[in-house]
Amino acid sequence: VQLQASGGGSVQPGGSLRLSCAVLKFNVDDYTIAWFRQAPGKGRERVSCDTLVGGGSTYYADSVKGRFTLSRDNARHTVDLQMNDLKPEDTAVYSCAAVPRYYHCSEFSADRATWGRGTLVTVSS
């Protein structure tokens, strides 16, 4: 599988952006998909993860809960991350990653995942 992230940019605090992770050559539902971010000088943080195991669940980091929404678009072969009420601390390079669909988010291994190239999100006034 190949992944391609897009949609980053610059936005003022309180603004919104929508990131897309295109899943190339395979079906979106063949994978458990996660969005990660890495801010300058900080470690990688998992922002959200969506699994179809056990009927399906979506998980969010506490730092983004209530502001970010992950959704699958099978028609477009994308997994999108809608980001609202953005804050300066959301500034980071955002990347999507995938593991086979039989892995739950609790079993998601970044080392075994396929990664797409990141997209930069800058939140600044």
Side-chain angles (χ1 to χ4, degrees):
V1 64
Q2 291 181 332
L3 306 176
Q4 200 167 71
S6 62
S10 295
V11 64
Q12 292 187 338
S16 298
L17 282 174
R18 188 176 184 88
L19 305 182
S20 285
C21 177
V23 179
L24 306 178
K25 302 182 180 180
F26 290 89
N27 294 324
V28 170
D29 287 350
D30 287 339
Y31 297 94
T32 291
I33 304 285
W35 279 97
F36 290 81
R37 69 184 180 185
Q38 188 161 18
K42 295 190 176 181
R44 187 170 56 200
E45 176 188 19
R46 194 173 81 179
V47 172
S48 183
C49 181
D50 185 77
T51 179
L52 298 177
V53 173
S57 297
T58 306
Y59 301 89
Y60 299 95
D62 287 342
S63 57
V64 306
K65 205 170 289 183
R67 300 188 297 122
F68 290 14
T69 303
L70 186 154
S71 60
R72 293 178 184 251
D73 189 328
N74 289 312
R76 293 173 53 237
H77 296 273
T78 63
V79 177
D80 299 334
L81 187 68
Q82 177 67 40
M83 306 186 297
N84 298 329
D85 189 23
L86 283 162
K87 304 176 180 181
E89 52 264 40
D90 294 319
T91 295
V93 174
Y94 286 71
S95 303
C96 56
V99 294
R101 62 174 290 164
Y102 47 81
Y103 285 108
H104 191 273
C105 287
S106 60
E107 303 167 302
F108 197 105
S109 169
D111 292 339
R112 288 199 300 262
T114 297
W115 289 83
R117 194 168 58 183
T119 184
L120 177 63
V121 171
T122 303
V123 185
S124 173
S125 55

